[in-house]
């Protein structure tokens, strides 16, 4: 099977020049990077609360300096060096027209990632207006320091994807996007990519994969709320 077997279908966004730029520079990428990090929910233990968006701006806060690498797999792996861009200070959701703006505030510059693959993930739970059943999405912003060499299964730079966990398929396959601001991960998402909800619950995490091989992130570094 060819490693470039993803079918990419994009819709022209109605209200976001940034997403237009992202789609314009979109590239097909290996299935391995596309599927990494989309397995079972992560294990962080003790998470009891979520953020709530209810048709109005929503935000959550998180303490600075609370990054604690939590290993997600069986065996051993090097513990990643903690950087400021692993430390979540808060997250917010705003809707402007038909676009959601998802922002994760950080204690460092996420573009400074130079060692691992770092993922910023929004876990979204809503109710389908069609089936009236729970619907789960994951919006992922992924940055890799790996150079995409012969032994690498990742592509260097920033990628954005929307994954429908309920049916197990991509709504937006991994798509190359520009660099992030210096103190946050921020990007606009068309509302129909996550079912055009008027309300949803959410939480965010930062995860790290310490090598360029295929698989799930090795560590969860921080999460909020």
């Amino acid at each position: 099977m060819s490693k470039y077997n993803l079918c990419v279908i994009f819709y022209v966004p109605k209200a976001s020049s940034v997403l237009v730029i992202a789609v314009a520079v979109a590239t097909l990428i290996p299935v391995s990077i596309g599927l990494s990090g989309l397995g079972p929910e992560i294990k962080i233990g003790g998470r009891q609360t979520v953020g709530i968006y209810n048709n109005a701006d929503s935000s959550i806060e998180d303490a600075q300096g609370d990054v604690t690498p939590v290993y997600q797999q069986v065996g051993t792996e090097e513990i990643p060096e903690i950087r400021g861009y692993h430390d979540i200070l808060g997250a917010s959701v705003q809707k402007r027209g038909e676009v959601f703006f998802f922002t994760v505030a950080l204690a460092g510059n996420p573009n400074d990632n130079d060692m691992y693959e770092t993922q910023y993930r929004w876990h979204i739970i809503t109710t389908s207006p069609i089936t009236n059943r729970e619907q789960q999405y994951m919006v992922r912003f992924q940055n890799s320091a790996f150079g995409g060499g012969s032994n690498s299964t990742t592509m260097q730079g920033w990628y954005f994807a929307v994954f429908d966990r309920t049916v197990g398929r991509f709504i937006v396959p991994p798509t190359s996007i520009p660099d992030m601001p210096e103190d946050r991960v921020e990007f606009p998402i068309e509302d129909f990519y996550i079912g055009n909800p008027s309300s949803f619950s959410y939480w965010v995490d930062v995860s790290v994969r310490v090598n360029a091989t295929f698989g799930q992130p090795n560590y969860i570094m921080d999460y909020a709320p």
Side-chain angles (χ1 to χ4, degrees):
M1 180 183 295
S2 170
K3 66 177 181 178
Y4 294 97
N5 62 353
L6 288 177
C7 177
V8 180
I9 302 175
F10 296 109
Y11 302 87
V12 176
K14 309 171 191 133
S16 168
S17 60
V18 176
L19 192 53
V20 168
I21 294 173
V23 172
V25 299
T27 58
L28 286 174
I29 63 173
V31 172
S32 53
I33 185 176
L35 298 180
S36 67
L38 297 176
E41 287 288 350
I42 61 173
K43 307 178 296 243
I44 53 179
R47 185 178 60 80
Q48 302 279 328
T49 60
V50 294
I52 301 295
Y53 172 84
N54 191 18
N55 208 29
D57 292 357
S58 173
S59 63
I60 55 178
E61 295 182 355
D62 190 52
Q64 184 170 357
D66 63 342
V67 178
T68 304
V70 177
Y71 195 51
Q72 300 294 298
Q73 301 176 14
V74 176
T76 60
E77 193 68 71
E78 65 174 293
I79 299 175
E81 178 183 342
I82 295 174
R83 302 286 189 88
Y85 52 79
H86 296 142
D87 194 355
I88 297 174
L89 303 182
S92 64
V93 182
Q94 297 177 319
K95 190 174 187 185
R96 300 293 180 263
E98 296 167 322
V99 173
F100 284 106
F101 287 85
F102 290 102
T103 302
V104 179
L106 302 167
N109 186 341
N111 303 300
D112 287 344
N113 176 39
D114 60 358
M115 296 181 67
Y116 311 114
E117 177 187 282
T118 303
Q119 298 183 20
Y120 301 86
R121 305 188 295 187
W122 287 78
H123 304 261
I124 295 172
I125 303 174
T126 186
T127 300
S128 169
I130 299 175
T131 64
N132 201 35
R133 295 180 178 178
E134 180 180 287
Q135 184 80 24
Q136 296 189 27
Y137 298 94
M138 186 176 72
V139 179
R140 184 184 68 189
F141 305 101
Q142 178 173 323
N143 179 265
S144 178
F146 306 131
S150 59
N151 295 323
S152 175
T153 62
T154 65
M155 298 292 285
Q156 194 169 19
W158 282 99
Y159 289 86
F160 149 73
V162 180
F163 190 77
D164 185 334
R165 280 190 174 274
T166 305
V167 299
R169 67 180 179 89
F170 281 104
I171 303 300
V172 180
T175 303
S176 178
I177 58 175
D179 283 355
M180 294 293 172
E182 293 184 356
D183 59 352
R184 62 194 183 277
V185 169
E186 184 175 72
F187 203 72
I189 309 297
E190 287 289 314
D191 54 11
F192 60 80
Y193 288 143
I194 57 171
N196 193 21
S198 59
S199 63
F200 55 85
S201 57
Y202 64 91
W203 57 284
V204 298
D205 72 70
V206 178
S207 63
V208 164
R209 192 149 61 102
V210 299
N211 55 53
T213 59
F214 173 76
Q216 298 291 326
N218 304 106
Y219 288 90
I220 300 303
M221 307 299 287
D222 197 9
Y223 64 93

